[in-house]
Amino acid sequence: MPKPRTKRGHGREEKKRKRREEAESYEAHENDSKRQRTTDENGYQDGQEAQENGIGEKEFFGMLADEEQEYFRRADELLELNQFPSDEERDVFLENVWKEAENKELKLASSQSCSRLMERLIQLSTTAQKKRLFEAFAGHFLSLVQHRFASHCCEALFLRSAGVVTKELSGFVGFVLDTKGAGGDAEKPEAAMEHLFLATLDELEGSLSYLITDRFASHTLRVLLLVLSGRPLEDSSSRTLMKSKKKEKISVSGAEAADEANKGLRAVPPSFTMAATKIIQDSTAGMDATSLRVLARHPMGNPTLQLLLELDLTLNKGEQKADAERPTLLFQLLPGAPKSLSDGSSEASEFINGMIYDQIGSRLIETLITHAPGKVFKALNQNIFLPRIEGYVRNDVSSYAAIRVLNRLSKDDLVQAVEQITPTVPQLVTKSRFNVLKTLFERCAARGANDEIKKLNKGLKEGCGKTPADLVTYLCGFKDEEKKKKDVQQLSKNEYAIQSHGAQLLTALLSIPGPVKGVQESLLAVEPTVLVRLATTSMPTVTVLTTALATPSSNPAFHKSIVSSLLPHIHELAVQQFGHNLINAIAEVPSKGKERSVPFHMKEAIMARLGEHEAELRDSWMGRSVWRNWKGDMWKTRRRDWKVWMREVDAHIESTLPQRGRAAEKQQAAQDKPSKKEEPVVEDKMEVDEVVEKPEEEKKKEKKDKKDKKEKREKKEKKDKKEKKEKKKSKPEEAEVVAEDEE
């Protein structure tokens, strides 16, 4: 009797039907097209004509069978769960998956469901497996880098293979072992990773001009350029260039250990440097000024152009000449620089003026400012940026380029820029240009422009409000009552960025000697509810409080007041995502000290509150972190040891302010104490006796000297007392004599 159709079985049949329809529609499309395509023994189409005839056509590598797809899906789940008994068993499992994926690499990479498995396999693969994958992808890279899913596999392969090139620079060439038992004739020398990368570039060479603006290939091309240049792949600036914000992060346990060889600066062969230079030249060779401007405003082309410009400026430092036969990318963008920049109507000046206010093009200007040679930047600064710096910092788009300019200014130019900006500081506060103000304060502190810091601080206080509490509440977005009612998740993206910039400005002010007092006064003036909001809103806002606790203060009660305001909310903050960092920071503050201290009894009160809510703390990782840092188990079972540990925390922290009284004597004695030196080894017995006797005699002399000093002090004190008494007695006698004279 047939089984009834279940919902699961119906779903599988539906999937099979859809796959058949897709295959039939693709076959119909192939029959309609009049190009003939050959297929290899695995059923893959070579797609040579598609590559020759332009951009639109891409190869189709076939589809996985249902059983194969189910196997790889299950393998992906097992890798993600990572519940293998040992590393050896996981290695065996990976080897079996690679064997099953043999001759199916192209199908896996282009599959929506299995491309993630391919990325995870690449992250855990050995050098030989990566090279075999290069060989499997060979001849199809142009289609793969433009594919929605396969392009991510290519990126992972390039990134994970970068460190192998550095290892192979020693000249070692391995061999591919005969694992199938075909005999010694089947073994062949292993191809160097350098040659595999160069072969990949040969495939992409004629298509670079349109790959720059491709939605998927542009990311892969940037990754390839970074690998060729030898730059650190984990750098934050590199990450933003390589990956889209929407890119899914594919990770697997054990991938970080396998990626150690790819971190940091890498040594690359000369062929890679030549290849990177050739890519830069070929990508922009046929472009005129109009094409470059269009590319600079293109959302996909702009990041690639940024990277090309940065590599051009770093790789060709000695060849940057405007009059060269083949100008570099810098002088393609700025023809005739630096001389042409003095003319406002020149092509170079018009390019800067047109791009600095463009939302996408301004990012290229930022790269240009950061990496431009000194002569070019000096001309840019004197003719364009410095005369208009006041207007640039007010604009939402050009302010980011202005920040890059401020970071490169000398002290004299910085003072001149601050003089122009100072009258508009309250306006900058109103426009929420907190990142500009942060840069100004930091650069003035770095250059030693103390007078300018005072002017900026005065303008900042005027813009925030009259009362001291307004500084914190305004910069952190707590000024309006309506915003107080909003939750963090309800804040828009722009509001959250403004709040983060304001909190970062406060954190920067805490490290500058003058403005730090204003921030500390503002924190003391705000209500406890505002402090709790600071601790729970975001990571930048809680960093303000943790930095304030770590900063010495001339007010001895500053740290105590902050902690006492937070004391009723300790257990709530301990289980909060951001607030637990503040509770951990309180434990590091010493119990004694003039410039930075929290009394021991307050720490005991905090620990008592944490102990009352121990069960609640243990339910979350934030609470467990607080309980561990405060040594809650020791506090429960060994209270005396906990007190000793808390006092040891105080012992490791030295005072930074000048001491007085006994503390000053101890500090001076510690400084004057000579370092111990090893005494020479004495071989003669008589000399040893003399060495032993001398210290005893010296000790006796020291004791006598101390006694004599004490006796002298006592005698002096007695004399002083007698003299004081005599003076007191003589005063009334003198008064009587004066009275008699008056009578």
Side-chain angles (χ1 to χ4, degrees):
M1 185 174 178
K3 294 182 180 180
R5 179 179 293 179
T6 60
K7 189 175 182 180
R8 181 181 296 177
H10 178 70
R12 287 178 180 172
E13 289 181 3
E14 188 70 21
K15 289 181 181 178
K16 290 180 182 178
R17 185 180 62 79
K18 287 182 179 179
R19 290 197 190 100
R20 282 198 298 269
E21 289 177 358
E22 289 176 1
E24 289 172 1
S25 63
Y26 183 79
E27 289 176 2
H29 174 71
E30 289 298 310
N31 293 331
D32 292 337
S33 62
K34 295 183 180 180
R35 295 188 182 90
Q36 294 181 355
R37 300 190 180 188
T38 58
T39 56
D40 59 9
E41 59 183 3
N42 298 317
Y44 303 143
Q45 297 169 346
D46 57 10
Q48 292 178 355
E49 292 183 2
Q51 293 181 16
E52 292 173 1
N53 287 293
I55 309 169
E57 299 189 35
K58 298 174 185 176
E59 295 177 89
F60 179 70
F61 304 110
M63 300 176 67
L64 293 167
D66 293 340
E67 295 80 8
E68 294 171 343
Q69 198 164 4
E70 185 66 22
Y71 171 80
F72 289 123
R73 185 190 63 79
R74 179 60 180 160
D76 192 18
E77 290 178 358
L78 291 174
L79 272 180
E80 194 170 1
L81 292 172
N82 192 34
Q83 294 178 348
F84 299 98
S86 62
D87 293 339
E88 290 78 10
E89 292 195 16
R90 189 179 71 167
D91 294 340
V92 172
F93 172 77
L94 288 171
E95 189 65 32
N96 292 332
V97 175
W98 275 110
K99 286 180 181 178
E100 187 66 28
E102 193 172 354
N103 297 328
K104 304 183 185 74
E105 294 91 347
L106 296 171
K107 291 182 180 180
L108 278 169
S110 57
S111 171
Q112 181 178 4
S113 58
C114 298
S115 60
R116 295 181 181 87
L117 171 64
M118 178 60 76
E119 288 190 59
R120 291 190 174 95
L121 289 175
I122 291 170
Q123 292 176 11
L124 299 172
S125 60
T126 61
T127 301
Q129 290 167 347
K130 291 171 187 170
K131 291 183 177 181
R132 283 200 290 268
L133 192 58
F134 261 104
E135 293 173 356
F137 285 175
H140 307 282
F141 272 110
L142 184 58
S143 295
L144 291 172
V145 297
Q146 298 177 74
H147 196 276
R148 180 180 179 183
F149 308 116
S151 61
H152 298 298
C153 298
C154 293
E155 289 178 30
L157 181 60
F158 296 155
L159 288 171
R160 297 288 172 164
S161 304
V164 180
V165 179
T166 306
K167 287 183 179 179
E168 291 183 349
L169 282 177
S170 58
F172 173 76
V173 179
F175 290 88
V176 176
L177 298 178
D178 180 23
T179 57
K180 297 182 180 180
D185 298 335
E187 296 182 4
K188 58 180 180 180
E190 192 177 81
M193 190 63 77
E194 176 187 354
H195 300 318
L196 294 173
F197 269 107
L198 294 176
T200 304
L201 288 174
D202 290 340
E203 293 186 39
L204 306 177
E205 185 176 0
S207 311
L208 294 174
S209 57
Y210 69 82
L211 291 180
I212 289 177
T213 56
D214 186 81
R215 182 181 177 186
F216 304 112
S218 59
H219 294 88
T220 312
L221 185 60
R222 291 173 221 158
V223 170
L224 198 53
L225 281 168
L226 285 171
V227 172
L228 294 175
S229 65
R231 285 181 51 185
L233 302 174
E234 70 277 5
D235 192 11
S236 59
S237 60
S238 302
R239 287 178 183 175
T240 55
L241 286 174
M242 287 191 297
K243 298 178 182 179
S244 170
K245 292 181 180 179
K246 299 179 182 179
K247 179 177 170 60
E248 180 184 358
K249 185 179 180 182
I250 305 296
S251 60
V252 63
S253 179
E256 292 184 3
D259 196 35
E260 286 296 327
N262 301 320
K263 293 183 178 179
L265 286 170
R266 294 168 289 103
V268 293
S271 59
F272 274 24
T273 306
M274 294 173 61
T277 306
K278 191 174 187 303
I279 289 175
I280 296 169
Q281 293 175 352
D282 294 348
S283 301
T284 59
M287 293 187 182
D288 55 1
T290 306
S291 302
L292 286 172
R293 291 187 182 187
V294 172
L295 186 62
R297 289 187 172 94
H298 195 279
M300 296 297 167
N302 181 275
T304 311
L305 191 59
Q306 287 182 55
L307 183 58
L308 290 173
L309 178 60
E310 185 176 345
L311 294 178
D312 178 53
L313 293 171
T314 53
L315 296 177
N316 304 319
K317 285 185 178 180
E319 302 176 6
Q320 299 288 343
K321 294 181 181 179
D323 301 332
E325 295 180 1
R326 191 170 185 179
T328 58
L329 181 57
L330 172 65
F331 294 110
Q332 284 182 271
L333 296 171
L334 304 177
K339 294 180 181 179
S340 60
L341 293 170
S342 58
D343 183 9
S345 60
S346 64
E347 193 175 340
S349 299
E350 289 179 356
F351 177 79
I352 297 294
N353 294 329
M355 289 295 166
I356 197 167
Y357 289 109
D358 188 81
Q359 196 167 7
I360 297 174
S362 62
R363 297 178 182 272
L364 182 65
I365 302 299
E366 292 178 40
T367 305
L368 181 62
I369 293 168
T370 306
H371 300 282
K375 292 181 180 179
V376 176
F377 175 75
K378 189 175 181 180
L380 282 169
N381 184 42
Q382 290 178 350
N383 298 304
I384 298 176
F385 295 127
L386 196 57
R388 309 171 193 171
I389 193 70
E390 179 188 352
Y392 287 151
V393 296
R394 290 202 306 267
N395 186 266
D396 189 20
V397 176
S398 62
S399 60
Y400 290 94
I403 288 172
R404 300 297 180 102
V405 173
L406 292 171
N407 284 326
R408 286 196 67 172
L409 291 181
S410 62
K411 184 177 180 179
D412 296 336
D413 291 339
L414 182 63
V415 170
Q416 186 179 349
V418 172
E419 287 178 357
Q420 297 181 39
I421 297 171
T422 300
T424 62
V425 169
Q427 188 178 357
L428 293 177
V429 175
T430 307
K431 288 179 172 287
S432 301
R433 302 287 178 262
F434 302 140
N435 51 351
V436 175
L437 293 171
K438 173 177 172 285
T439 305
L440 286 169
F441 276 106
E442 289 177 343
R443 296 313 301 163
C444 288
R447 297 294 187 187
N450 297 324
D451 294 336
E452 281 66 30
I453 291 176
K454 293 178 182 177
K455 295 176 184 177
L456 291 171
N457 194 28
K458 183 180 178 182
L460 178 63
K461 289 182 178 179
E462 289 178 5
C464 291
K466 297 179 180 179
T467 61
D470 291 338
L471 184 64
V472 170
T473 54
Y474 190 92
L475 293 181
C476 292
F478 302 153
K479 187 74 173 175
D480 298 332
E481 293 294 331
E482 296 179 358
K483 289 185 179 180
K484 286 184 180 180
K485 298 178 182 178
K486 284 188 177 182
D487 191 27
V488 182
Q489 297 177 354
Q490 295 176 348
L491 291 174
S492 67
K493 188 177 180 181
N494 188 37
E495 289 174 341
Y496 180 77
I498 290 171
Q499 188 183 70
S500 299
H501 290 164
Q504 290 169 13
L505 173 58
L506 287 172
T507 306
L509 293 177
L510 285 168
S511 62
I512 301 173
V516 64
K517 294 182 181 179
V519 179
Q520 290 174 348
E521 290 175 1
S522 181
L523 289 172
L524 289 175
V526 297
E527 298 177 359
T529 54
V530 177
L531 293 176
V532 173
R533 289 196 68 200
L534 280 173
T536 57
T537 300
S538 64
M539 198 63 201
T541 55
V542 75
T543 305
V544 175
L545 293 176
T546 55
T547 308
L549 289 175
T551 305
S553 174
S554 57
N555 182 3
F558 171 70
H559 300 85
K560 305 169 193 174
S561 302
I562 296 293
V563 175
S564 62
S565 300
L566 296 169
L567 194 58
H569 310 279
I570 288 295
H571 65 282
E572 300 171 7
L573 296 175
V575 294
Q576 213 274 336
Q577 182 181 1
F578 307 112
H580 79 280
N581 295 289
L582 178 60
I583 308 303
N584 290 335
I586 295 173
E588 299 175 1
V589 181
S591 302
K592 296 179 181 179
K594 291 184 178 180
E595 72 274 15
R596 179 172 172 253
S597 65
V598 173
F600 184 74
H601 68 86
M602 294 184 72
K603 291 187 176 181
E604 283 187 315
I606 292 172
M607 193 64 240
R609 283 185 175 273
L610 295 176
E612 292 174 1
H613 300 82
E614 179 185 356
E616 186 180 353
L617 294 178
R618 291 187 182 276
D619 288 340
S620 63
W621 66 267
M622 294 83 70
R624 289 193 293 271
S625 172
V626 171
W627 188 259
R628 182 172 58 253
N629 286 325
W630 279 81
K631 295 192 181 296
D633 293 330
M634 183 188 292
W635 176 80
K636 280 179 62 179
T637 57
R638 295 170 290 153
R639 190 69 57 88
R640 183 178 295 177
D641 293 344
W642 184 84
K643 292 180 179 179
V644 171
W645 167 76
M646 189 58 73
R647 289 190 174 91
E648 286 178 357
V649 173
D650 304 340
H652 292 298
I653 300 170
E654 298 180 357
S655 178
T656 57
L657 294 180
Q659 302 293 322
R660 296 179 181 177
R662 293 181 180 178
E665 293 177 1
K666 290 180 180 179
Q667 190 175 10
Q668 188 66 28
Q671 293 175 358
D672 297 340
K673 190 175 181 180
S675 59
K676 294 182 179 180
K677 296 182 180 179
E678 295 183 358
E679 295 180 358
V681 179
V682 184
E683 296 181 358
D684 193 2
K685 187 177 180 181
M686 293 297 294
E687 292 178 358
V688 172
D689 294 336
E690 290 175 2
V691 171
V692 173
E693 289 174 0
K694 282 181 181 179
E696 292 179 357
E697 294 176 358
E698 290 177 359
K699 288 179 181 178
K700 291 179 181 179
K701 289 180 181 180
E702 288 177 359
K703 288 181 180 179
K704 289 180 180 179
D705 294 337
K706 287 181 180 179
K707 288 181 180 179
D708 295 338
K709 288 179 180 179
K710 285 183 180 180
E711 291 176 358
K712 289 180 180 179
R713 286 177 186 173
E714 290 175 356
K715 289 179 181 179
K716 286 182 180 180
E717 289 176 358
K718 289 179 181 179
K719 288 181 180 180
D720 293 337
K721 288 179 180 179
K722 288 180 180 180
E723 290 177 356
K724 288 179 181 179
K725 289 180 180 179
E726 291 176 356
K727 287 180 180 179
K728 288 180 180 179
K729 290 179 180 179
S730 62
K731 283 182 180 179
E733 292 177 357
E734 292 175 357
E736 291 176 359
V737 172
V738 172
E740 290 176 358
D741 294 338
E742 289 177 354
E743 290 175 357

